[in-house]
Amino acid sequence: MNAAIATTHREFSACRYDVLARALPSRIALAHALGSDGHPQQAATAVAELYNTPPTA
């Protein structure tokens, strides 16, 4: 999941909004699935990071 979050941040920073728009829904679904697998805190953190994608330096 960390790789998906890092990729999301890179795509946002690179203004690759078309790629991000296609990929983000499945990444968010994957993050939500962590909660179903018994990792609710990790799921909540990952979902929050994906929804609040900041540009990285």
Side-chain angles (χ1 to χ4, degrees):
M1 191 75 254
N2 290 336
I5 292 168
T7 299
T8 297
H9 290 186
R10 281 192 304 275
E11 289 168 351
F12 186 86
S13 293
C15 301
R16 298 186 66 207
Y17 305 124
D18 57 333
V19 173
L20 188 56
R22 287 189 302 273
L24 194 53
S26 62
R27 291 176 188 161
I28 290 171
L30 179 63
H32 277 289
L34 290 173
S36 300
D37 290 340
H39 304 283
Q41 181 138 4
Q42 186 179 7
T45 300
V47 169
E49 286 190 44
L50 289 168
Y51 273 115
N52 295 293
T53 301
T56 55

